[in-house]
Amino acid sequence: MRTAIVFNHPYEKSYCNAILEAVSNGLKKGQHEVDLMHLDNDGFNPVMSKADLKAFVEHKPIDPLVIDYNKRLEKADHLIFIFPIWWDLMPAMTKGFIDRVLCPGVVYDHHPRGFGLVPLLKDLKSVTIITTMNKPKIMYSLLIGNLIKKAMLRSVFKAMGYKNVNWISLASVKSVSQEKRLKWLLDIERKFAKWATITNHFCRQSS
C-alpha cells in the first residue's frame, strides 16, 4: 500500500514535524510505502498564475512540481494532510496545493450530466487530515464553526465524491502538558500502525 503525505510547516522543530514522524513510523510498521510531499522543502509555489489557471481549465498542468505531485497522487492508496491551523484555516501552501494540484482531469472531473463532481483517483481509499492549533477545540467548534471541516472535508473532498474522509484535530497544543503531547504522538503512531495493518489485510483479502 502506498500512502501519500502532504506536509506543510516551515519550522523543523514544530509539533507538526513530530506528528509527521509519528505517522510515518506507524505507517512503516504497517508495511506501507510512504511518499512524502513536503511543500516547504520542495519550494512549492501556492500562487495560481494566469498561465496556471489557463492550464487548469485545459486540464494540462505546466508547473513541473504540480505535474510530479499529480502523478504521485494517482499512485496513492491513501492520502494524509498534516498542517497547523493559522488564523482558523490552513497555511497558504496547503491552500495552494488544493487550488493548483487537486485539479480536474486528475483528481476529479465534472459529472457528464452536469450534476456535481466525480472522483478520478480510483485507487484512493481514504483521506485523513491532521491539524494542530492553539485554540481549545470547543472554541474552534462553537465560535469559529470548524472551518477546516467545512473547507476541506465537505467543500473539497466530499464535494469531489471521496467518501472516506477523516479529520484528527489536536487542539490547545501550546497549553497542554508535555506528557499529553507525547501521549498524542504515541497514540498517533499506534493508530497508523494498526490502521496500515488493517488496510493491508483488507486489500490482500479483496485481491
Side-chain angles (χ1 to χ4, degrees):
M1 300 291 284
R2 184 184 182 93
T3 299
I5 300 177
V6 179
F7 181 82
N8 181 194
H9 201 299
Y11 181 47
E12 293 179 353
K13 295 182 179 180
S14 68
Y15 192 66
C16 276
N17 269 272
I19 292 171
L20 172 62
E21 184 177 356
V23 170
S24 299
N25 289 342
L27 290 170
K28 289 172 184 176
K29 287 179 180 178
Q31 299 181 340
H32 269 229
E33 179 183 352
V34 176
D35 180 14
L36 174 61
M37 303 179 195
H38 195 308
L39 304 185
D40 301 271
N41 289 354
D42 291 347
F44 175 70
N45 181 4
V47 178
M48 178 80 83
S49 67
K50 290 182 180 179
D52 288 324
L53 185 57
K54 183 176 184 292
F56 182 93
V57 172
E58 295 175 351
H59 297 193
K60 295 178 181 178
I62 56 175
D63 184 329
L65 189 53
V66 170
I67 294 170
D68 177 60
Y69 284 165
N70 282 163
K71 290 178 180 178
R72 290 156 70 179
L73 285 176
E74 289 176 333
K75 297 176 182 177
D77 297 290
H78 303 278
L79 176 60
I80 299 173
F81 285 82
I82 303 173
F83 59 86
I85 292 177
W86 291 344
W87 292 106
D88 301 323
L89 281 169
M90 69 287 287
M93 281 190 174
T94 301
K95 181 59 166 62
F97 186 94
I98 295 168
D99 292 342
R100 300 184 65 224
V101 180
L102 303 185
C103 54
V106 177
V107 180
Y108 70 94
D109 209 342
H110 295 277
H111 195 282
R113 295 182 181 177
F115 301 107
L117 307 175
V118 293
L120 294 182
L121 298 177
K122 302 303 181 184
D123 293 333
L124 192 65
K125 299 168 182 64
S126 72
V127 178
T128 302
I129 298 162
I130 306 175
T131 61
T132 62
M133 63 179 167
N134 293 322
K135 277 189 175 73
K137 188 173 293 187
I138 191 168
M139 180 183 293
Y140 190 70
S141 173
L142 296 180
L143 298 183
I144 309 302
N146 280 338
L147 292 185
I148 291 297
K149 183 176 182 179
K150 292 177 180 177
M152 287 194 71
L153 277 74
R154 294 179 184 171
S155 297
V156 177
F157 288 104
K158 289 191 176 181
M160 291 177 183
Y162 296 97
K163 301 183 183 304
N164 189 7
V165 185
N166 305 286
W167 178 28
I168 299 173
S169 173
L170 302 177
S172 302
V173 173
K174 281 190 176 181
S175 59
V176 301
S177 66
Q178 178 66 3
E179 289 76 17
K180 187 162 188 176
R181 286 192 291 266
L182 290 172
K183 183 180 183 301
W184 281 345
L185 295 176
L186 288 173
D187 289 345
I188 285 172
E189 183 170 334
R190 291 180 186 131
K191 175 183 177 66
F192 282 95
K194 182 179 179 181
W195 172 75
T197 303
I198 290 171
T199 53
N200 281 337
H201 174 73
F202 175 78
C203 290
R204 286 195 297 269
Q205 292 291 100
S206 302
S207 59

